[in-house]
Each structure stands twice: as structure tokens, then as C-alpha cells.
Amino acid sequence: MVLCYSVAVGLNKGHKVTKNVSKPRPSRLHGRLTEHTKFVQHMIQEVCGFVPYEWCAMELLKVSKDKRTLKFIKKRVGIHIHAKRKREELTNVLAAMRKAAAKKD
């Protein structure tokens, strides 16, 4: 049985206080995808279409060169995690295109 007294030594030393919980700083929320940002990105994608490197990446994905696609996108984007996310996004786009073509026929 362990008694918790305000003692001067040990793991739980000192006066017992409640933790002061503060809300996160605005800098911690930087880069979070908001609804508005998602909407704007979708609109730009609709209006402008794909960037040339995305078309090349989709061609590589069509011939099932996933690893080569990842290397290619990473060279263009710069960060491995972003490249993986972009490859996944383009894979989903290709699947949607195939589905639309099958539905059309």
C-alpha cells in the first residue's frame, strides 16, 4: 500500500497540483486540410486538369510499374511520404476512370 504525501523526495515529490491544459497553438494546426482548402483544391483540379508529371506517372501506373512511379514522383515532389500519397491518389483516379469507362459501355 502506497501513501501519497507531499514529500520532498521520490518519484511523486512536491505539492500535488492539477495539470493546466491549454489549447494547441495555431502553429500546430499548420498544414491541416480544412473543408475550404479541400474544396479549392478540387475546383483547381477540375478546371486545370493534371500536371504533366502526373500524366507520366499515370502512364507508368497503367503498365503496373508502381515502384518506378514512386521514384518518379518522389523526384518531382521531393518527399517520400508526399510521393506515396500522390501515387495512391493517382491510382484512385485511374480506378475511377476505368469504372466510368466500364459504366459508359
Side-chain angles (χ1 to χ4, degrees):
M1 186 167 133
V2 179
L3 297 174
C4 279
Y5 294 114
S6 297
V7 289
V9 293
L11 223 58
N12 299 316
K13 68 179 181 181
H15 183 70
K16 298 288 176 225
V17 293
T18 57
K19 186 82 172 167
N20 185 15
V21 181
S22 58
K23 69 178 197 177
R25 294 172 176 227
S27 61
R28 294 284 179 196
L29 302 174
H30 179 75
R32 185 80 40 95
L33 187 67
T34 62
E35 285 295 317
H36 181 69
T37 310
K38 190 175 180 181
F39 172 74
V40 169
Q41 286 176 353
H42 183 70
M43 285 298 289
I44 291 171
Q45 182 71 48
E46 267 187 39
V47 173
C48 300
F50 292 103
V51 185
Y53 84 86
E54 291 176 337
W55 283 112
C56 289
M58 283 195 284
E59 289 299 321
L60 286 170
L61 284 170
K62 281 180 188 173
V63 292
S64 62
K65 298 237 180 211
D66 291 354
K67 190 171 182 179
R68 186 78 204 123
T69 305
L70 184 66
K71 288 176 76 173
F72 176 76
I73 296 173
K74 187 185 176 301
K75 178 108 178 178
R76 297 298 195 277
V77 174
I79 300 173
H80 184 70
I81 293 171
H82 290 186
K84 288 193 332 190
R85 192 178 302 140
K86 179 63 77 175
R87 180 181 63 177
E88 188 65 33
E89 179 187 315
L90 294 176
T91 306
N92 293 340
V93 166
L94 279 175
M97 282 180 175
R98 271 192 229 109
K99 198 172 186 180
K103 190 177 181 183
K104 189 177 180 182
D105 290 339

